[in-house]
Structure formats: C-alpha cells, structure tokens
C-alpha cells in the first residue's frame, strides 16, 4: 500500500524502484522534485539522504528528477544503493535527513593540523565502511592524510582499523607467506610463478589478487583464462589445504571492504599517499592471515614510486608498520622502466606465464628472472632457503618442472586448467625504419590493449616483439594487435596508426 | 543521422537526450553499458568523459545505464550537463577520454606541501570555472588549502584569479560601498536597512545578495517578497544610477562563476578555510566594483567564527588581502549567539524589515541596533560622517523616514513595492511551564521553519515571541508556526512537538 501523507513520525512512504543506473560504488537515491518528501523535507539535489526500510538503512546522495522517470511516491535507486539496501519485493522505504557523521569532526581537526587518535581513526574507518562518507568527504580525508601528514602512529592505527573491518582469515600453521606488487607495470605477471614455486617448496601461500580497474589486465583476469578464480572462502581454504597455495580473486573473500572505497577515490585523485598505501596493503595481507610478505616495488620515472628516496622511505614505513601488526615485511626494489614479458592482456599474459612455467626455450627471460628473484625472497623469508640460496632453489624448482606440476595441481583444485583463448583477429605492425628501440610508452601501450578489448575480451591485447634497447631493422614486426572482433581491431589499429605505436626508434 | 560505427577519428556519433535528472552543478553523462563507445573506449561508471558537439565541449562524470533508459546510440545529459553543452535540436555528440587536467599536478604539489604560484592558482581557477574539476578533485584542492595552509600571497593570488574569471562591474564614481555578513544567523536581515540608510545619505551601494541554499531564507528570498530581485546587469545599473542603491539577486549578474562551485563543495564538507573565505568574499566585492566594504562577522559558539582568536586572525587577513586588491575593508565583530528579529522565513523577516524601516513602536530592537551599527560603519568609511558620528547619522536617517523613502524608491525602481504575504495556516505554541528562556537552538529553529515550507513557500516560517534571557510565564505564546498548507503546518508542528521547540526554559 502506498501512502502519500506522512505517518505518525512524519515519514512519507515511498515505493522502491531500481533505476538501472551504475554509479560504481556511490549510492544515489532519485526522487521527484514534486514528491511530498522533497517538498516537506526541503531536499535539494546533491543533499545527503537516509533511506530506510524496516530491515535496512543507507545513506546516499540525492538526485532530483523532474521528468517522467519516476512516480511521485517512488524512490529510485542506483545499482550501488540497490545492493546496499537489498529491498525485498514490494518493500517500502522512508526518507529522512541523515544524522551528522560524528567522525567528520575528527577529519576537520586533521585538516587543521591535529593528530588523529586511534579511536578517531577507528570511527572514521567504520563510517567509511558503512557508506556514511560521501565521495567528497572521503576525498577530504585522503587529502588531509596525504603529503606525509600521517605520523607513524596514525599509519599503524589506520592499518589496524582497516584490519578490524571485514573478515580476517586464519590458518592452522605458520609461516603463511605472501607477495604483493606496488604499482602496475604492464605484463608484470610474476604472481603465478611465485605461488607455484613457493608452494612446490612446501610453503603456504593463500594468494588473492585483484581484477583490472584501469589497466588492460589484473592478475585475477589473467588467471581466469587459465582456471576459475571466483572462489568463496570455503572453496579457497580447501584449495590451500590441499595444495599449499591458491590464485583466486580477492573480491570474493570480503577481507577489505574499506580498501575498495578508499582506493577508488585515490585513483580518481591520482595521488600517492605513503601512509594510506602502507595501511591498504598491510591490512589486506594481515587480514588474509599472512605472516611474511615480500613486496615488489618497481621504481621508475613513470611508475608509482619514482625516486630512490621515495622508495627508501616507503620501504622503511612498510617494514616498520608491518612489524607493528605482526607482519614480517621485505621490500624488493625492481626496475620499473619497461613492460615485462611480451603480452599485455589476459590471455597474452597467460601465454607468457605458461611459457615460463613450462621452461620453453622462447620464454620471456625478464619475466622468468623477476619471478625467480621474488620467489627467492619468499623462500628465504619462509625459512626454506638460507640467505643467498633462495635464487638457486627457485630456479631448480622451476627447471625441474616441480613448479609447473604444482601450478597444474592448484588449477585442478580450483576447477581445472584451461587453455588460453586465441584472438580471431590479429594485425602485425612492422618497423617503418631501422634503428634502436630507445623508449616504450607504457601508458599508450596499455591504452591500445584496452581499445583492442582487454580485459573484457580476454584474448584481446598487444603482443610486443621487441625489447627496450634492441636493434630494429626496417620491416621487422614490432607488435601484434589481438582482438575478438573486426571492429575492435580496426578501432585499436586506427588509434595506433594515427598517434604512433608507443615505441620510439632512434636512427 | 545516427551512425554506430566509428568515424575516421574513431569517434562514435551519439544522439543527445535530456534525462531530467538534477545533480545540482555536477555534469553527468549517461551511456548504455552496451553502447559502442563504452565498449570501445573501455569507459566505466564514474569515469571522467569529454562530450563534444560541433560547437561545444564539456567534461562530465559518466554513469552507466543498463536498463531501458536510453537507446544504444544515445548520450543522456543531467540538467547541469545540458546547461553547459546547450545542444541545439538534433545535434549529435561524440565521447572521448578527456585530456589530463594539467593544473591538478599543482594541486598534488600543494598536497605535498609546496606553495602555489600565482600562475598555477590562475590555471586552477580557470579549470574549475570551465568544469574540468570533478567534485572529488575540487574537494582535494579545498582541503589542501584549508587549515591555514594558504599563505598570504596565495590568498591574494586566489582572490585575483577568482576576480579575473567572470564579469567585473565598473561605476562612474567612487566610493562604491558594500556590506557583507559572514556566516548566517537566523533573521539577521540588516541588508535592506543598511542599503536604504547609506543610499539616503548619498552613497552608492550596488548590493547583490544570495538566495538560501541550506537556510530558511537568504536576503534575496526576503527581498523578493517585497520587490522583484531577478534583475539583469543593465536593469541593476539603471536602478543604481537612479537611486544610488539596489537590493538584487547576485545570481543574475554573473560576477562569481567559480565561487558558486567552490562554496557548494565547502558546504558539503562543512569546514571553514580562512583563505578560501577571504578570497570568496573579497573577489565578489571587487567584481561588483566596490571600493569600501564593511563586514559583519557574528562570533559565537555555533556561528561560523567561534572564537575571538579566529575572529582577529580572519579580520586581519580580510583587511590585508582587501588592500592588495584595492578594497578598503572594515570588519565589525557582532554577537552570534541568538537569532535576530522575530521572523524566520522570507515574509516573516520582511515584516521585521518593514517595521524597522517604518519605525513602528513594536519593531525588533536588536535588528534596528545591528542595522544602525553596520550602516554607521559604512557611512564613516564612505566619508559621510566623521569617526564616531556614523551612528547618530544612521539613526537620524532612519527616524526621519528618509531611509524608508529611499527603500520605497529603490523597490519602485526594481519593479514596485509589494506587501508580504500572510500564511493561511498558523499554530501558536505556548509555554508548558514558567521560567527563564536560557537557550535557543538556532539550527533546530531553522529546521522547523524549513519544514513549514520556507523559503519556497515565502509566507512560511517561524515567528518567535520571546527573547533569550527573558522571563516566561506558563501558557505564554513562545512561537507561531506559519505555513501555506495544512499538511506542511501539521508536519512542522508534529516535528516541533515530538522533538521540542528549540527553546530551553529553566525553572
């Protein structure tokens, strides 16, 4: 029953309608300008609004609708609002002004130079997790904490607060090892090898990975062309129990609900905050139950970490904060100047991974070398090799086929090993002139791969045939575009032809 | 002609549709998830997108639509996007990734503690004015500048940059005087008296005012029940030429396009930034062509300025920055603890204004006293009275009826003096017990006035019958609710009854 007059508490009953509008993770509520609730409560566009059913309540941003999109007594929900409120059929809601968010005074204090106590940080993180912060409020919090304005104590408190939101995994034995890469480098897909090598050595590595948000492939996207990755917690635990390792998508496990919200706004703002980064990575690793973590930190002029000084500062921060939350952390600074391997795109990267694991003669050496270096660090941290001997052990596990066997077993446990798809449409680009390959524009290469259809079209992407610094002959193949449709191929090819192929050849 | 395949430049032609969704001043573009442009460009919800016609181009935030709200080759526009792109009938658009906003690197530098140069500040303000900043980016800029992180030089540069965006008025003679109130106090409607008094004294005061955004009435809303206020620049100039003063809505003049964008985000964040506030007020006053400005600064525990130290700091900043942009500024610190006058709501406040101007015996003394004090400061600054004599002159101009005559003449020039409407529905609330009125909750009073319908229903609001500190007898009328409909009256009354009437009576 709908009812346009207020009930005893002055609340207007609203029928709920799913609008089919995706605003990513920002809940939006749509109301008619001439609805009783807008008129009575004085709601205006972009106001914050609390919408409640008998079972649930959310805070959202209001968009005011003047046209025929809604009935006068309806509340429309964006996809995020729909997920959060999860109304049952025929359920009604009422709208109200939200109570003030108390922790925002702590954020205002921080903006004015005060330090945040652990209690205030806990409250902020709980409010962010509950969706009480609007995007601009979240941006203000992140900005107030950026630029080295977070103390060591604040970073530790933030890590602990993020850790206490969401699920925390525990495992029957220690050590639990893990690896993490800070800042994407196209093709830097070392995780499958590291997991296979260290699990083959008998260590436990319950690895969760993310999907691409702005890049042509995340580790989860690459692994998905090889095996199912959307496992729930119970299935993931069974795989780890059986094989000592897994390679699953982290989104299904629910260990870092706050992190997704903060990272999204940080991406929009495109700025680095060492404290935030440390808290984000370390809280996720601790929540996954890890005890020993190796961090791959690519350093280069277009990488996330750009200078040796920043690398040193961030490494120290991560090591120290890690220790405070019970994590043994080791940071490996790596070359961040050029892509790794040959493929950019889920299936093309999976082919590189398989070549390295199967020790094919043509396997990309840079990907192999990085994988061995990272696995070595994990093996030494986890006590499987004495200092300096990790590298030899990692190479031996790879060359003997033990890592490949372990990888196959993990994939079998996750639901079966698949053969990566091949793109139906390909186009080769040849060198217009000879010379030396003096620069690679990583961002442009990633853009071309995305225009080809990656990561949604898993076979799509860019295959690089030449390495930075190598001599190029006129007419030599430089790269191949892969696409799943003729249209996408033409589109990416046209973009590559018009603006250049992201490769600089010096005569 | 619509065309779903890319043109030579890889651009997909899109038909434009007005969605009828009001997102205040944030331009939103809606595209189908399965549209060619989303698939080819890899656009995701909340991405920034450039939408261009042959004549215009905007940057907007993308919302992805999955349902039947749009055709596959349509681009939907929010109201703000529609205003900015202002498409002609049948015009098509194409979508692209926006080029990076260069001035955001300066914002990132500021976040990391660098100073902003005048050139960088100019670039930021131009980009904000052009709509190139998303709300979260604007929030990051404001946060990075808050908490006394703006130097004197940066504040001056920001004031100048805001001044150079938008229109700047000039007047044939000097001085041009003005007054401004920082931070709302319910009922503090001194502007009509100040303008009438100083114009009666022969000074030129081209006053622009704003409408309510979150309060029950702005000065423009109150003046609108007395006379037309939506004058364009030419009409405003004619009024000022004829009468020496005006009382118009500033939104029609177009002198501060950036300020509206920044203030909106500041309101959402609810924090003060002295530098931003100074730049906002002073750039608007300088753009209006003023040379001498008196600032009313209410100081109190729930006012915008809360302490004597903050008041002193902000007063000094405004005076010094004003001098650098050619403005003579004087700040009057006033009592910010209680509402002024009796009415809260456009027509009720207009009645207070008329009573003071007409020197009725029952006119609210506090409103009269404040008006005289502010007018006195303007008269002394403008050279119409020697120091210390402004107050006497102001009182004399008011008591002699000269101010009231001037006010009537200004209203006549603006289109005619109107009689404020009276609300059809009223309800009196009486004191449930005797005692002393020890506290007034300004925010709650404002809320009740808004629930009654103010400012959209101009006759609606709250009429206060008692003053802070006065003795109250049981059964004495405390306040009267005014509403234009029975429903609104019941709604506001129910709210007032359930949660208390915002007045504390101590036995």
């Amino acid at each position: 029953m709908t009812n346009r007059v207020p009930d005893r508490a002055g609340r207007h009953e609203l029928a709920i309608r799913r609008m089919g509008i995706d605003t990513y993770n920002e809940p939006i509520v749509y109301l008619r300008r001439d609805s009783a609730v807008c008129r009575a409560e004085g709601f205006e566009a972009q106001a914050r609004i609390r919408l409640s059913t008998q079972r649930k309540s959310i805070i959202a941003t209001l968009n005011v609708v003047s046209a025929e999109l809604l009935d006068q007594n309806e509340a429309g929900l964006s996809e995020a609002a729909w997920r959060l409120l999860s109304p049952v059929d025929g359920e009604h809601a009422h709208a109200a002004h939200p109570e003030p968010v108390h922790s925002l005074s702590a954020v205002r204090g921080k903006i004015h130079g005060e330090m945040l106590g652990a209690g205030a940080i806990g409250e902020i993180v709980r409010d962010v997790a509950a969706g009480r912060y609007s995007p601009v409020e979240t941006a203000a919090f992140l900005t107030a904490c950026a630029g080295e304005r977070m103390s060591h104590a604040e970073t530790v408190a933030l890590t602990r607060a993020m850790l206490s939101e969401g699920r925390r995994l525990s495992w029957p034995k220690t050590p639990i090892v893990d690896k993490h890469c800070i800042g994407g480098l196209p093709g830097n897909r070392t995780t499958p090898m590291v997991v296979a090598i260290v699990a083959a050595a008998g260590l436990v590595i319950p690895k969760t990975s993310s999907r691409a948000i702005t890049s042509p492939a995340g580790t989860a996207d690459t692994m998905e062309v090889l095996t199912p990755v959307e496992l729930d917690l119970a299935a993931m635990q069974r795989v780890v129990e059986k094989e000592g390792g897994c390679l699953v998508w982290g989104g299904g496990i629910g260990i870092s609900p706050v992190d997704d919200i903060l990272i999204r706004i940080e991406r929009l703002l495109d700025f680095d905050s060492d404290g935030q980064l440390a808290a984000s990575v370390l809280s996720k690793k601790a929540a996954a139950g890890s005890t020993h973590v190796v961090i791959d930190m690519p350093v280069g002029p277009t990488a996330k970490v750009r200078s040796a000084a920043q690398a040193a500062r961030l490494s120290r921060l991560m090591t120290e904060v890690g220790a405070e939350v019970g994590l043994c952390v080791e940071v490996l600074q790596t070359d961040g100047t050029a892509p790794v391997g040959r493929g950019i795109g889920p299936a093309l990267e999976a082919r590189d991974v398989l070549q390295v694991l199967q020790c094919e003669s043509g396997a990309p050496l840079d990907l192999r070398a990085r994988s061995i270096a990272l696995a070595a660090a994990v093996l030494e941290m986890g006590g499987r090799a004495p200092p300096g001997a990790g590298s030899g052990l990692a190479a031996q596990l790879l060359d003997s086929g033990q890592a490949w066997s372990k990888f196959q077993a993990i994939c079998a446990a996750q639901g079966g090993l698949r053969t990566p798809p091949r793109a139906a449409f390909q186009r080769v680009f040849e060198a217009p002139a000879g010379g030396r390959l003096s620069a690679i524009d990583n961002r442009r290469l990633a853009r071309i791969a995305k225009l080809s259809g990656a990561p949604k079209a898993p076979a799509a992407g860019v295959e690089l045939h030449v390495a930075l610094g190598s001599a190029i002959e006129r007419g030599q193949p430089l790269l191949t575009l892969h696409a799943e449709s003729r249209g996408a191929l033409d589109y990416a090819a046209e973009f590559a032809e018009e603006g250049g192929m992201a490769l600089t050849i010096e005569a």
Side-chain angles (χ1 to χ4, degrees), chain A residues 280-362:
Chain A
S280 164
V281 170
L282 298 173
S283 67
K284 252 188 295 193
K285 295 301 158 196
S290 305
T291 57
H292 293 71
V293 183
V294 170
I295 290 174
D296 178 5
M297 186 182 288
V299 184
T302 61
K304 180 170 260 180
V305 180
R306 301 185 178 194
S307 69
Q310 193 195 350
R313 202 170 55 231
L314 184 55
S315 298
R316 195 173 57 243
L317 181 69
M318 298 202 82
T319 311
E320 289 174 4
V321 174
E324 299 245 19
V325 298
L327 282 177
C328 188
V329 174
E330 191 182 319
V331 179
L332 243 71
Q333 294 178 25
T334 56
D335 178 12
T337 53
V340 182
R342 297 197 188 98
I344 301 171
L348 293 168
E349 295 179 24
R351 278 164 55 184
D352 286 350
V353 163
L354 291 179
Q355 286 183 354
V356 171
L357 283 169
Q358 295 172 357
C359 303
E360 282 188 18
S361 59

Side-chain angles (χ1 to χ4, degrees), chain A residues 247-265:
Chain A
L247 283 151
V248 304
W249 175 54
I253 312 297
I255 53 172
S256 52
V258 179
D259 201 45
D260 183 43
I261 298 171
L262 297 182
I263 280 184
R264 181 71 184 187
I265 301 291

Side-chain angles (χ1 to χ4, degrees), chain A residues 50 59 98-110 114 116 119-128 132-133 137:
Chain A
R50 177 176 283 289
I59 296 182
E99 60 287 11
V101 179
H102 180 253
S103 67
L104 282 169
S105 3
V107 173
R108 279 179 219 113
K110 179 71 188 168
E114 294 161 22
L116 290 169
I121 289 178
E123 219 186 308
I124 291 167
V125 167
R126 274 193 301 281
D127 284 338
V128 170
R132 292 190 197 105
Y133 274 44
E137 288 161 348

Side-chain angles (χ1 to χ4, degrees), chain A residues 129 161-171 206-210 229-237 248-261 280 283-289:
Chain A
M162 290 174 69
L163 188 51
S164 68
E165 285 300 310
R167 188 179 266 166
R168 187 160 185 177
L169 311 187
S170 63
W171 304 96
K207 184 79 186 84
T208 63
S209 302
S210 52
V229 296
E230 293 206 355
L231 276 60
D232 64 16
L233 180 59
M236 174 202 178
Q237 284 172 319
V248 304
W249 175 54
I253 312 297
I255 53 172
S256 52
V258 179
D259 201 45
D260 183 43
I261 298 171
S280 164
S283 67
K284 252 188 295 193
K285 295 301 158 196

Side-chain angles (χ1 to χ4, degrees), chain A residues 15-359:
Chain A
I16 298 170
R17 184 195 283 205
R18 186 173 184 171
M19 297 295 280
I21 298 178
D22 179 2
T23 56
Y24 195 71
N25 59 15
E26 188 183 357
I28 305 277
V29 167
Y30 303 84
L31 291 175
R32 278 263 288 262
R33 184 175 306 288
D34 56 359
S35 63
V37 63
C38 272
R39 283 186 292 120
E41 295 278 340
F43 280 122
E44 296 282 348
Q46 299 301 84
R48 299 287 281 169
I49 183 170
R50 177 176 283 289
L51 197 75
S52 310
T53 63
Q54 295 220 309
R55 300 173 307 113
K56 285 197 168 185
S57 184
I58 62 170
I59 296 182
T61 296
L62 178 67
N63 281 191
V64 172
V65 173
S66 55
E68 282 67 46
L69 293 172
L70 284 175
D71 283 342
Q72 222 179 1
N73 64 337
E74 277 184 325
L77 300 186
S78 73
E79 293 298 290
W82 182 265
R83 281 194 303 273
L84 289 168
L85 198 62
S86 53
V88 296
D89 229 24
E91 201 170 21
H92 281 66
H94 64 265
H97 290 272
E99 60 287 11
V101 179
H102 180 253
S103 67
L104 282 169
S105 3
V107 173
R108 279 179 219 113
K110 179 71 188 168
I111 289 170
H112 285 89
E114 294 161 22
M115 280 287 139
L116 290 169
I121 289 178
E123 219 186 308
I124 291 167
V125 167
R126 274 193 301 281
D127 284 338
V128 170
R132 292 190 197 105
Y133 274 44
S134 70
V136 299
E137 288 161 348
T138 308
F141 168 61
L142 291 170
T143 304
C145 292
E148 317 202 23
R149 282 198 197 89
M150 269 189 109
S151 70
H152 185 97
E154 286 176 315
T155 306
V156 171
L158 181 62
T159 308
R160 289 204 174 113
M162 290 174 69
L163 188 51
S164 68
E165 285 300 310
R167 188 179 266 166
R168 187 160 185 177
L169 311 187
S170 63
W171 304 96
K173 62 174 190 173
T174 54
I176 303 295
V177 297
D178 212 335
K179 67 81 69 172
H180 183 88
C181 179
I182 286 177
L185 202 57
N188 191 17
R189 211 54 67 206
T190 57
T191 297
M193 277 68 80
V194 173
V195 169
I197 292 168
V198 307
L203 287 170
V204 179
I205 181 162
K207 184 79 186 84
T208 63
S209 302
S210 52
R211 292 191 184 281
I213 295 185
T214 59
S215 71
T219 294
D221 300 309
T222 297
M223 280 307 303
E224 198 167 37
V225 304
L226 294 167
T227 190
V229 296
E230 293 206 355
L231 276 60
D232 64 16
L233 180 59
M236 174 202 178
Q237 284 172 319
R238 277 194 301 274
V239 173
V240 175
E241 238 162 69
K242 187 156 181 283
E243 299 299 340
C246 69
L247 283 151
V248 304
W249 175 54
I253 312 297
I255 53 172
S256 52
V258 179
D259 201 45
D260 183 43
I261 298 171
L262 297 182
I263 280 184
R264 181 71 184 187
I265 301 291
E266 286 198 304
R267 284 232 170 80
L268 290 175
L269 292 173
D270 193 18
F271 65 62
D272 303 321
S273 159
D274 285 0
Q276 188 61 48
L277 181 64
S280 164
V281 170
L282 298 173
S283 67
K284 252 188 295 193
K285 295 301 158 196
S290 305
T291 57
H292 293 71
V293 183
V294 170
I295 290 174
D296 178 5
M297 186 182 288
V299 184
T302 61
K304 180 170 260 180
V305 180
R306 301 185 178 194
S307 69
Q310 193 195 350
R313 202 170 55 231
L314 184 55
S315 298
R316 195 173 57 243
L317 181 69
M318 298 202 82
T319 311
E320 289 174 4
V321 174
E324 299 245 19
V325 298
L327 282 177
C328 188
V329 174
E330 191 182 319
V331 179
L332 243 71
Q333 294 178 25
T334 56
D335 178 12
T337 53
V340 182
R342 297 197 188 98
I344 301 171
L348 293 168
E349 295 179 24
R351 278 164 55 184
D352 286 350
V353 163
L354 291 179
Q355 286 183 354
V356 171
L357 283 169
Q358 295 172 357
C359 303

